[in-house]
Amino acid sequence: MRFIHVQLVRKSVMGSIGIFDWSIWAIYFTLIFVLLFFYRSMKSDTYYKYFLNGFIIKVFGGVVFALIYVYYYGFGDTFLYHNGASVLSQTLVESPADYLSLLGSEGGNLPPELSPFADKIKYSRTYEEWFMVKILSPINLVSFQSYLVTTLFMSLISFIGGWKLFQVLRDILPEKEKYAFWAVFLIPSVVFWGGGIMKDTITLFCINYVIYLLYFSLFKKKFKPFYFVGILFFSYLIISLKAYIILAFLPGAFLGIYVLFSQSMKSKLIKYVVGPFVFMGLIGASFFSLNLVGEGSEKYQASNLEWKVKGFHSWHTDVGGSSYNLGEIEYTAAGVSRKIPAALNVTFFRPYLWEARNPVVFIGALESFLFFAIFIYVMFKFKFRIIREIRKYPILYGMFIYCLIFGFAVGFTSYNFGALARYKIPILSLFGFIMFLLMYKARTKAQSHKTELSDQPYDLENNTSSAY
């Protein structure tokens, strides 16, 4: 029934772009660009040379997203969110009291006095979808209900979050700022899927901001009270839209904090005595937080997870397109565990080039091939000691664990390359940067080894270097 309902909605709700949209878009883009230009001119840090480039790339990705959805796909959740937000923004103008009542209501359970809006706002019946429509409504209002202009503001939001993540990554490896820029702003899936009118844009912005606040407050010891408030606020937004992101993020974040604590303890006695208690405390905090999220969202409770996963498998296979599967699955702890390698391979290294059936998936296949090539290079250079190398950077160690947990979750459930490309964008920049960093470390070690050999005195009599 859900499939039939969505097909009918697809025919009734579509986006459009006209001269009016492009005119308003050009005015807003010019205004935003000028403001960012003056903001950039006030900064003396050299890495701000990437600032405007990052914004332009994000805007480009948003425009491509809008054009492809309007003229190629012709339907999608993006139009449904925009349609619902248009109804709410129009209500704000005509009846502010009704708008406030809608903000305080749930899409699938509107009170009788608001029932006329139920027919106008299609599809947005679940808590997450309704929450997205409410967030989008003020943006839609200042965008004159233009799909293209609303996309521009979503791209701006994505850029702000991306810039925060860039500041974290370039601080970790300041000698190679370009690696941070590549990871945040040049990964095709992130550029395309991370700047349109989708829940993914908001959650990507939020998780990047959470990482920024965590890094500079805990790992760089620059804590400010509003950092903690910001972490709670952005986490709330993520939980309200896609709670599984936080479910995957928390264990890695707490593990990174533990590694930071371990490395800061100079006394081995204190480390071995206090360390286990800190570790158990963080595990307990993580378990408590995960239970709290599960209680707040029924769909993420353990008792419902098997039903949800089976639903994803059947739904994303039925809609057609570039689907995949992981073979026969036993929905038990052991059965699911056996699929971890295959699920991670799907997330980070598929689709393969020969699995691409359309231009969008082909770009994703090229991206996956590049990740695979770098991964093989890094594995060869470090001889499977990747974890030990990453552990030198506590924040990256925690984020690597987050990438693995999240990567397994989306690879195991998506069953469609189109959906997978969108779902995995919260971790692609992190995973990409970790690969770039390891590649840089491997090349640096090789060059250092060459230098050491060249500095050794040469034994003319035996025609050998004394290094041997």
Side-chain angles (χ1 to χ4, degrees):
M1 291 298 294
R2 173 180 168 84
F3 179 73
I4 295 174
H5 171 69
V6 173
Q7 291 297 325
L8 292 174
V9 171
R10 284 172 174 173
K11 295 180 180 180
S12 62
V13 182
M14 292 179 61
S16 62
I17 301 175
I19 299 298
F20 172 80
D21 301 280
W22 283 112
S23 300
I24 299 300
W25 183 94
I27 294 172
Y28 270 126
F29 173 78
T30 302
L31 177 62
I32 295 170
F33 185 86
V34 169
L35 291 175
L36 293 179
F37 177 82
F38 280 111
Y39 176 77
R40 158 71 182 86
S41 64
M42 293 186 293
K43 299 295 182 178
S44 58
D45 298 300
T46 57
Y47 66 84
Y48 268 86
K49 64 186 178 183
Y50 296 106
F51 188 72
L52 293 176
N53 292 336
F55 170 68
I56 292 173
I57 290 171
K58 283 292 185 180
V59 171
F60 172 77
V63 170
V64 172
F65 176 91
L67 293 176
I68 287 181
Y69 262 91
V70 170
Y71 297 110
Y72 180 73
Y73 291 129
F75 59 83
D77 294 355
T78 178
F79 300 130
L80 300 168
Y81 295 137
H82 181 257
N83 176 72
S86 296
V87 174
L88 259 65
S89 62
Q90 188 65 31
T91 304
L92 174 59
V93 174
E94 297 175 352
S95 177
D98 284 342
Y99 175 76
L100 293 177
S101 297
L102 287 168
L103 288 184
S105 65
E106 296 182 9
N109 189 27
L110 294 178
E113 64 272 17
L114 298 176
S115 58
F117 293 98
D119 294 330
K120 296 179 181 179
I121 303 176
K122 306 292 184 182
Y123 185 58
S124 303
R125 295 292 182 263
T126 69
Y127 175 84
E128 291 87 353
E129 291 161 351
W130 185 245
F131 193 84
M132 176 62 184
V133 167
K134 290 191 286 188
I135 288 178
L136 199 60
S137 60
I139 301 174
N140 190 267
L141 178 65
V142 299
S143 302
F144 299 95
Q145 298 184 358
S146 166
Y147 179 79
L148 182 66
V149 178
T150 302
T151 300
L152 172 62
F153 282 104
M154 293 293 282
S155 299
L156 174 62
I157 290 171
S158 180
F159 163 69
I160 294 172
W163 185 252
K164 293 301 180 183
L165 181 62
F166 168 79
Q167 289 179 298
V168 172
L169 301 183
R170 61 82 41 195
D171 190 76
I172 294 173
L173 193 66
E175 62 268 33
K176 286 291 181 179
E177 293 174 346
K178 63 181 181 181
Y179 287 168
F181 181 77
W182 293 352
V184 175
F185 293 108
L186 292 182
I187 294 179
S189 293
V190 181
V191 173
F192 180 77
W193 295 107
I197 303 176
M198 300 292 279
K199 290 187 292 184
D200 308 272
T201 301
I202 301 296
T203 52
L204 180 65
F205 160 77
C206 291
I207 197 65
N208 285 345
Y209 227 115
V210 168
I211 293 171
Y212 170 83
L213 295 175
L214 276 176
Y215 178 72
F216 283 102
S217 61
L218 295 181
F219 294 86
K220 298 296 289 186
K221 298 179 175 60
K222 298 179 180 179
F223 181 77
K224 299 177 183 178
F226 69 86
Y227 279 13
F228 179 72
V229 176
I231 291 171
L232 292 179
F233 174 71
F234 292 121
S235 298
Y236 165 74
L237 292 181
I238 296 171
I239 291 171
S240 298
L241 292 171
K242 290 192 171 189
Y244 64 85
I245 295 177
I246 288 295
L247 291 175
F249 180 78
L250 282 175
F254 283 129
L255 190 58
I257 293 172
Y258 171 72
V259 172
L260 176 68
F261 170 82
S262 298
Q263 293 181 356
S264 64
M265 291 293 101
K266 296 181 179 180
S267 170
K268 290 186 177 180
L269 178 62
I270 295 178
K271 181 185 296 187
Y272 290 130
V273 172
V274 179
F277 291 99
V278 174
F279 180 73
M280 293 304 297
L282 291 173
I283 291 294
S286 178
F287 183 76
F288 173 77
S289 301
L290 295 178
N291 278 341
L292 197 63
V293 173
E295 292 174 3
S297 183
E298 183 179 345
K299 66 190 287 188
Y300 295 108
Q301 292 177 4
S303 58
N304 295 328
L305 287 180
E306 180 180 338
W307 175 81
K308 290 294 298 181
V309 170
K310 289 181 178 178
F312 268 114
H313 288 174
S314 61
W315 165 247
H316 283 160
T317 302
D318 290 342
V319 297
S322 302
S323 60
Y324 67 88
N325 67 75
L326 302 177
E328 293 294 326
I329 298 177
E330 295 179 13
Y331 292 93
T332 62
V336 171
S337 297
R338 285 194 288 270
K339 296 298 179 180
I340 291 177
L344 290 175
N345 177 62
V346 165
T347 297
F348 295 114
F349 308 131
R350 289 181 66 186
Y352 303 129
L353 292 172
W354 56 87
E355 292 177 313
R357 298 179 182 177
N358 60 63
V360 175
V361 176
F362 181 72
I363 293 175
L366 289 175
E367 172 187 287
S368 298
F369 177 76
L370 179 61
F371 275 140
F372 180 73
I374 296 176
F375 179 76
I376 293 299
Y377 172 81
V378 167
M379 289 287 286
F380 176 77
K381 288 296 183 179
F382 283 100
K383 304 185 188 306
F384 300 93
R385 295 192 297 271
I386 289 179
I387 298 296
R388 187 174 70 180
E389 189 68 26
I390 298 175
R391 206 174 186 276
K392 297 176 182 178
Y393 307 88
I395 182 67
L396 287 186
Y397 183 70
M399 293 304 96
F400 184 68
I401 300 302
Y402 161 53
C403 288
L404 295 180
I405 296 173
F406 190 88
F408 163 72
V410 296
F412 183 73
T413 58
S414 297
Y415 266 46
N416 183 281
F417 288 127
L420 176 65
R422 178 161 56 92
Y423 294 156
K424 67 184 181 180
I425 62 172
I427 58 172
L428 283 187
S429 293
L430 293 170
F431 182 77
F433 179 77
I434 291 171
M435 292 298 103
F436 293 152
L437 180 141
L438 291 173
M439 181 176 66
Y440 169 72
K441 292 296 181 183
R443 294 171 64 181
T444 302
K445 285 185 177 181
Q447 292 173 359
S448 176
H449 182 64
K450 271 186 184 179
T451 303
E452 289 177 4
L453 290 179
S454 63
D455 289 341
Q456 297 295 332
Y458 198 77
D459 189 339
L460 293 174
E461 182 178 349
N462 296 317
N463 195 33
T464 61
S465 169
S466 62
Y468 299 97

